[in-house]
Amino acid sequence: MVEEHFIPKKYTNSIDNGSFTWSSPSNIALVKYWGKKEHQIPENPSISFTLNHCKTTTKVSFSKKEDASGFSFDVFLDNEEKGDFKPKIETFFKRIEVYLPFLKDYHFKIETTNTFPHSSGIASSASGMSALALCLMSIEEEFGTEDYFDDYFIQKASFLARLGSGSACRSLEGDLVVWGKHKDIEGSSDLFGVKYPCQVHSNFKNYQDTILLVDKGEKQVSSTVGHNLMHGHPFAQERFKQANKNLSDIISILKEGDLDAFIALVESEALTLHAMMMTSMPYFILMKPNTLEIINKIWEYRKTSGSKVCFTLDAGANVHVLYPENEATSVLEFIQNELVAYCQNGQYICDVIGLGASKV
Ligand code: DP6
């Protein structure tokens, strides 16, 4: 599959206006994407759990306009106009225009809401960009094209979402998604995410993810800047090799249901991600003192209770606490008794792995 496959040759219908709404989940990576080449091509493959409750719902209304000279759109978050979202969407439209040649012919009203607080530090770009990409694909579907191949809709939606934000291409399907070419994963591609095709042990069924909101402020360093700092990073090549190996290893871990090996791999990935940030030039730290307090508490609890709870991190200070469904009650009690004290305003979000995006 190459990029050109997603360029439509011809549309068969013409439509003046309409609207579509999609709801897309957030995702949490187990093997992390950190480092990219031109055109949002990842330096290494990654795999994530799709979440079930942390979602963005986006409605895109479109109406034909007179002149097709530029992009025309308005963006609203919770019914409030958001001018500061526009540059990111403008960049997105520029990147995808060749694949959706109708973009300049219409005015778009983009109305979006998140199930999680916008300022929670939970990345809304993955769920937001995938919901927007799906709405645009629904519009394209209305136009009709002769270029359809199997999985055209979902693959192209993921392909477009990737051009908005890399990790967004893993936010369409459930419950495990791989993005990036890997020799052991059939159908995997650098261009879009694919549903994890291998066997998954029942230990991972309804896996729990409680997100501890440690710091809800704006990140000091954006992911895009962080990715770019992997260019010329002294440990970059070793890191990319390690991610490939971890993806090979996680295949048997997921198949066997080996929770101890899962814990070791997932926690190592999280700390390696932050180690890359700390060893780039310029260097930076996104963890906060309370992030470390929580990590130490989790390790202590695991040692004394024999629990299979573990943590992962995204590009921020918040901690994702991952645990099997059969420990849901005990770990939640541990979180409430011992970890909530380290969360900003005691806030946390209980989630579970989910099935992916849906049309509303
Ligand atoms: C740390 O997808 O936010 O969450 O492609 O620049 O939009 P851009 O970056 P983004 O990076 C997310 C990185 C991560 C790890 C991951 O989700 O794999």
Side-chain angles (χ1 to χ4, degrees), residues 112-181:
T112 190
T113 55
N114 296 319
T115 56
F116 46 89
H118 178 61
S119 58
S120 61
I122 295 181
S124 56
S125 64
S127 50
M129 284 299 175
S130 62
L132 179 55
L134 284 161
C135 291
L136 295 173
M137 280 307 294
S138 284
I139 298 174
E140 186 187 59
E141 197 172 47
E142 287 287 290
F143 294 147
T145 147
E146 291 155 5
D147 308 309
Y148 281 122
F149 47 82
D150 276 356
D151 295 334
Y152 175 85
F153 186 95
I154 195 79
Q155 277 185 6
K156 184 165 172 181
S158 175
F159 172 90
L160 297 174
R162 186 196 96 241
L163 292 169
S165 178
S167 56
C169 77
R170 297 189 314 240
S171 263
L172 290 91
E173 295 181 276
D175 37 10
L176 279 155
V177 176
V178 174
W179 167 40
K181 184 90 200 122

Side-chain angles (χ1 to χ4, degrees), residues 25-27 47-52 55 154 169-178 193-197 200 352-358:
S26 189
N27 71 76
I47 182 168
S48 52
F49 274 151
T50 306
L51 298 182
N52 198 40
K55 284 189 166 159
I154 195 79
C169 77
R170 297 189 314 240
S171 263
L172 290 91
E173 295 181 276
D175 37 10
L176 279 155
V177 176
V178 174
V194 294
K195 212 171 142 59
Y196 180 63
V200 180
V352 56
I353 65 175
L355 295 176
S358 53

Side-chain angles (χ1 to χ4, degrees), residues 27 29 31-34 36 40 46 88 125 164-168 170 223-224 227 273 314-315:
N27 71 76
V31 174
K32 310 287 183 182
Y33 148 57
W34 198 245
K36 61 180 164 184
Q40 299 279 101
S46 56
K88 193 154 188 187
S125 64
S165 178
S167 56
R170 297 189 314 240
S223 292
T224 302
H227 285 292
L273 168 71
D314 55 18

